[in-house]
Amino acid sequence: MTGTYSNEMSPSKNTKNSSNFLRYIHNFRGFAILTIVATHIIAALQWRNETIEKITYILIGNGTVYFVFIAGFLFQFLSSKYEYKKYLSKKLQYVILPYFFISIPAIQLCLVEKIYTPPDWFQYHFSDWSLPGQILMYFLTGAHLPPFWFIPMITIFYIISPVLIWVDRHPKSYWILPILLVITAIIPRAQYNANPIQSFVHFLSVYMIGMFCSRYRDKIFVVLKKKYVWLLISFVILTILEFTITPRPTAINSLSKLILCVLIIYFLWLFELRLPKRFHELMSFLAELSFGIYFLHGYFIIAYSGAANKFEFNAFWTEANLLSFSLIFLFSVGASIVSLLIVKKSFGKKSRFIVGS
């Protein structure tokens, strides 16, 4: 995620032909945050049927691809105003600083209260470290809360942004994309999200294809009017391969989700004027709060699961079924939104420094 829109992305400029606002990307961002929450709920539920769990994750999980694609798309879209120092300053204020503040309770839960147990890999490598050393590694790996691994990884994109700008200003460099796609297929995202550098390598093609789609979006949409069926077929083939191959080739999921990214923005663009006003309003609302929802929803998923275990609720409350999933989903998203609105009401524009929205 980029963590911020500039004034050029204001929802008030919502005509389909406007060069200053891409409503289909704004809508996509609102959809993407819902998939992120859903992904983490899938991981929190207790599954009795491994096949259903596998299908659910293949189709719904790994929403990170959407976030990374959107980040690359918007990076290129706003690149005309790119200045490295100013860019890093904004990321520090609107991404890293909120990450620091929101991380404090989670790290305290891990180190002091022992309410939440960090991943086994983190305990294996860092449990013998000094307290300051463990705290530092929590920040550098994001191990203190399941969604937070994303921040150390996306920070690498921020740091190397001059290279990405150079690529975009020398369009022939985009010929490297097929090689990067092969790398994505070969190198999966880090197991347990334990290595930000490996995850960066895996998602680099996704980010740069987002940039490519932004630069050539008009031409791409023209081509897709006649060729989108081939992307649909490719998505189906990759999904079948992922389901049938054992052990499951998780890297393939990023490729299939990448295809979905292109299809989703195409269909959101194609039907933009036909979609009801309420749909645009809802997606815009979610998009504006998306980074804050990202930061907070993990707390509420853990709170729900912890309460269910502490009070010994019927297994229904945590077993994987449509109703339990819906309950946790609505609770996590709803509680995150209410919390964000309270913070925004209390701190105004400064809330972006605290919760990213």
Side-chain angles (χ1 to χ4, degrees):
M1 297 181 63
T2 60
T4 179
Y5 280 109
S6 71
N7 292 333
E8 285 77 3
M9 298 299 290
S10 169
S12 62
K13 300 178 180 180
N14 56 10
T15 61
K16 187 169 184 176
N17 296 322
S18 172
S19 61
N20 292 324
F21 177 73
L22 302 179
R23 186 161 63 176
Y24 56 88
I25 288 294
H26 204 52
N27 289 343
F28 189 19
R29 193 184 186 199
F31 167 77
I33 187 58
L34 298 180
T35 67
I36 289 292
V37 176
T39 297
H40 295 130
I41 291 174
I42 291 171
L45 290 171
Q46 299 172 9
W47 295 82
R48 291 184 177 274
N49 189 310
E50 293 183 3
T51 301
I52 294 178
E53 179 183 10
K54 186 177 181 179
I55 293 173
T56 303
Y57 184 83
I58 288 174
L59 295 178
I60 300 176
N62 198 19
T64 301
V65 174
Y66 302 144
F67 272 17
V68 175
F69 177 90
I70 293 170
F73 193 106
L74 291 178
F75 175 75
Q76 193 287 327
F77 183 75
L78 303 173
S79 61
S80 61
K81 297 185 176 182
Y82 174 85
E83 294 179 21
Y84 189 48
K85 291 184 179 180
K86 184 180 293 186
Y87 176 78
L88 287 185
S89 175
K90 287 185 177 180
K91 298 308 178 187
L92 180 63
Q93 295 177 69
Y94 304 137
V95 180
I96 307 302
L97 196 59
Y99 172 62
F100 174 80
F101 285 130
I102 300 298
S103 292
I104 292 174
I107 293 176
Q108 184 179 14
L109 292 176
C110 292
L111 291 176
V112 181
E113 303 297 337
K114 302 295 183 182
I115 294 176
Y116 173 70
T117 303
D120 291 340
W121 66 264
F122 187 91
Q123 297 185 71
Y124 177 79
H125 288 288
F126 306 114
S127 60
D128 294 333
W129 285 35
S130 65
L131 189 61
Q134 289 187 54
I135 292 174
L136 175 63
M137 294 312 300
Y138 275 120
F139 280 114
L140 292 178
T141 63
H144 45 297
L145 208 62
F148 283 1
W149 69 272
F150 180 83
I151 300 300
M153 189 270 291
I154 201 66
T155 300
I156 300 176
F157 286 96
Y158 301 156
I159 294 171
I160 70 158
S161 58
V163 177
L164 299 172
I165 283 290
W166 184 91
V167 169
D168 189 63
R169 291 175 182 173
H170 298 80
K172 290 183 179 180
S173 301
Y174 279 117
W175 283 105
I176 196 175
L177 285 176
I179 297 175
L180 294 180
L181 286 170
V182 171
I183 292 175
T184 294
I186 295 174
I187 301 177
R189 58 190 284 181
Q191 188 175 22
Y192 310 119
N193 300 315
N195 186 335
I197 296 176
Q198 180 178 332
S199 293
F200 161 77
V201 172
H202 174 75
F203 284 110
L204 180 58
S205 67
V206 177
Y207 192 96
M208 289 191 62
I209 287 179
M211 293 171 54
F212 180 85
C213 288
S214 174
R215 169 174 275 277
Y216 298 108
R217 57 189 178 276
D218 294 332
K219 295 179 180 179
I220 289 172
F221 289 156
V222 170
V223 172
L224 285 178
K225 283 184 178 180
K226 297 181 179 179
K227 305 294 185 180
Y228 74 89
V229 172
W230 292 106
L231 284 183
L232 284 172
I233 293 172
S234 299
F235 170 75
V236 172
I237 291 173
L238 289 176
T239 300
I240 293 173
L241 285 175
E242 185 180 2
F243 180 76
T244 55
I245 296 175
T246 303
R248 184 167 69 90
T250 56
I252 288 182
N253 190 266
S254 292
L255 297 178
S256 64
K257 289 295 194 305
L258 181 54
I259 292 173
L260 276 185
C261 286
V262 179
L263 288 171
I264 288 171
I265 63 169
Y266 169 66
F267 285 117
L268 286 174
W269 168 82
L270 183 65
F271 297 109
E272 182 175 304
L273 299 180
R274 302 180 190 178
L275 292 170
K277 181 180 179 181
R278 289 186 178 180
F279 173 83
H280 292 300
E281 291 174 345
L282 175 60
M283 290 298 104
S284 179
F285 176 73
L286 291 171
E288 294 297 334
L289 296 180
S290 60
F291 212 46
I293 295 173
Y294 158 77
F295 274 131
L296 296 182
H297 76 275
Y299 281 106
F300 293 109
I301 292 175
I302 290 175
Y304 180 98
S305 300
N309 291 327
K310 182 176 180 180
F311 296 106
E312 298 182 351
F313 290 170
N314 187 286
F316 156 81
W317 296 96
T318 53
E319 282 188 4
N321 57 66
L322 180 60
L323 191 52
S324 62
F325 177 88
S326 300
L327 285 172
I328 304 178
F329 182 83
L330 292 174
F331 172 71
S332 302
V333 174
S336 297
I337 290 174
V338 170
S339 300
L340 289 170
L341 294 179
I342 292 173
V343 173
K344 288 172 70 69
K345 182 70 174 179
S346 302
F347 294 92
K349 293 182 179 180
K350 294 181 180 179
S351 66
R352 295 181 69 188
F353 301 116
I354 303 172
V355 292
S357 295

